[in-house]
Amino acid sequence: MAGLWVLGEVTADGTLARISTEVATFARTLAEAAGQEVAGIVVAADPTAAATELATYLPRVLALSEPAAAERAWSMVAAERIAGILEPDTQEFMFAGAGPDGRDLAGALSAMLGWGVLANALGATWTDGGPVVEMSVFGGKLKTTSRFTGPKGIVTVRPNVVTAAPAAKHGEVEVVQATGDLRQPVVRTVERVVEAGAALPIEEAKIIVAGGRGVGGPDGFKLIEEIAEALGGAVGATRAAVDSGWIPYGQQIGQTGKIVKPQLYLALGISGAIQHKVGMQTAETIVAVNRDPDAPIADFADLVVIGDLFAVGPALLAELRARSG
Ligand code: FAD
């Protein structure tokens, strides 16, 4: 029995998703401060590798093997199996990543168990037997602090709000057998598609070079790609660039795109609208190139280069190439 549970998500190649390492760190830190037990749970056709990895972060991990997880919509299958493990009478809170799978699972589990969901957590403390969760709402304009009214609940944690850190001691993995038939409606997986242009996922990149409307078109993004390549980074974009069809949606950063936390975020031709800012503001260092000194990004960037990106960009590229020899 655990007071806090961590959902372990499994990638297509069977390893643990990065978001789950962050959620595990988030929940373990909270559990340690609160004197609560914390455990992980992985539901997959073959959960072994991911469960073993999750045990690097948590004292105890349940590995539940469920072949249907490979053929059907994972979240429905996982939610039903997890619902079967959670104890109806104890105080329990489930922590999942606020990505597509974690959100899906939170919704399904909430519907099955009647538990509330606090979404997009940025941080949490523990008071009176439950988590008090800080969340970002209205596209980052407000932060709210909320708690559950009862002894159960689901918290989805925003990507990149903590840096994953293994526990001092490797945890135990317990293999659990699934029992009973699955009863929820069957949603079959008919095809898996690898996202185009996702050679280096922007969520995991240490350096991101991002372009906005100022880049002017798909040709302008070639400059962004070249700078990213010279720096060993990934390419990001604003919604304005994505909506114009200059770059795929998978590269969009912001409220309706991805949340990133690189060491360096180089923004070219990006104004810094709030909906973009919420996706990149936790970058360690933000450098902006903009010809408008009054662009909002100047208020939160660490360094602003006032100039035309088509002059600054090639000069930067030439310097980077000269340095790499
Ligand atoms: P602009 O705001 O047009 O800025 C372009 C900048 O480029 C300007 O500052 C300009 O000075 C500069 N510039 C132009 N030419 C040059 C040049 N040659 N050299 C140097 N600088 C130059 N946006 C997101 O990015 N991500 C989201 O997830 C997102 N979600 C949204 C959700 C909602 C519900 C809504 C309403 C909006 C959302 N937006 C999102 C859109 C957001 O409000 C902005 O419209 C968008 O971020 C602006 O993109 P931009 O900075 O590329 O363009």
Side-chain angles (χ1 to χ4, degrees):
M1 179 191 327
L4 283 73
W5 288 98
V6 173
L7 172 75
E9 292 176 34
V10 183
T11 62
D13 63 6
T15 56
L16 185 67
R18 189 184 104 158
I19 179 73
S20 300
T21 65
E22 294 173 1
V23 177
T25 306
F26 184 102
R28 188 190 72 228
T29 309
L30 180 63
E32 282 168 0
Q36 295 289 313
E37 285 185 28
V38 59
I41 181 159
V42 179
V43 181
D46 181 1
T48 323
T52 306
E53 203 179 334
L54 190 57
T56 318
Y57 297 87
L58 297 171
R60 182 174 159 239
V61 175
L62 307 188
L64 196 145
S65 167
E66 172 53 83
E71 300 141 23
R72 303 190 196 174
W74 170 83
S75 57
M76 289 294 281
V77 173
E80 193 171 348
R81 288 305 182 205
I82 291 171
I85 285 174
L86 298 174
E87 314 243 342
D89 302 326
T90 49
Q91 179 190 47
E92 285 175 319
F93 300 94
M94 170 64 69
F95 289 75
D101 282 341
R103 287 178 176 149
D104 246 8
L105 181 120
L109 199 60
S110 168
M112 284 174 202
L113 297 173
W115 293 15
V117 182
L118 291 176
N120 281 332
L122 301 173
T125 54
W126 192 269
T127 309
D128 296 336
V132 178
V133 180
E134 188 190 329
M135 295 175 292
S136 164
V137 297
F138 294 123
K141 285 200 174 75
L142 282 182
K143 281 185 186 159
T144 58
T145 306
S146 307
R147 55 175 308 161
F148 298 105
T149 50
K152 314 265 190 193
I154 304 162
V155 178
T156 63
V157 180
R158 264 201 164 180
N160 291 314
V161 294
V162 294
T163 302
K169 191 164 158 261
H170 202 279
E172 302 286 326
V173 175
E174 291 170 33
V175 177
V176 186
Q177 297 307 326
T179 50
D181 294 335
L182 291 164
R183 292 167 191 273
Q184 295 298 324
V186 174
V187 181
R188 285 205 186 285
T189 304
V190 291
E191 192 183 3
R192 287 180 202 277
V193 181
V194 178
E195 198 176 0
L200 178 56
I202 50 173
E203 305 95 309
E204 299 183 11
K206 291 196 166 47
I207 296 176
I208 294 176
V209 183
R213 205 194 308 268
V215 164
D219 288 346
F221 263 95
K222 293 201 181 103
L223 173 64
I224 306 294
E225 281 159 19
E226 282 182 292
I227 299 172
E229 199 185 326
L231 286 168
V235 174
T238 64
R239 179 162 159 179
V242 171
D243 284 353
S244 304
W246 302 344
I247 183 157
Y249 169 68
Q251 311 305 113
Q252 183 181 318
I253 292 165
Q255 183 188 338
T256 43
K258 290 180 176 161
I259 313 273
V260 296
K261 194 183 180 216
Q263 289 168 359
L264 172 66
Y265 193 87
L266 177 56
L268 294 102
I270 292 178
S271 63
I274 181 72
Q275 295 89 354
H276 186 72
K277 184 183 172 190
V278 293
M280 44 67 85
Q281 62 191 347
T282 54
E284 282 171 35
T285 303
I286 299 170
V287 178
V289 179
N290 200 306
R291 63 184 180 194
D292 176 7
D294 296 324
I297 200 163
D299 293 338
F300 59 91
D302 298 283
L303 175 71
V304 186
V305 180
I306 307 298
D308 191 316
L309 70 91
F310 292 106
V312 177
L316 172 64
L317 195 54
E319 182 68 24
L320 288 169
R321 286 179 176 158
R323 286 191 187 197
S324 68

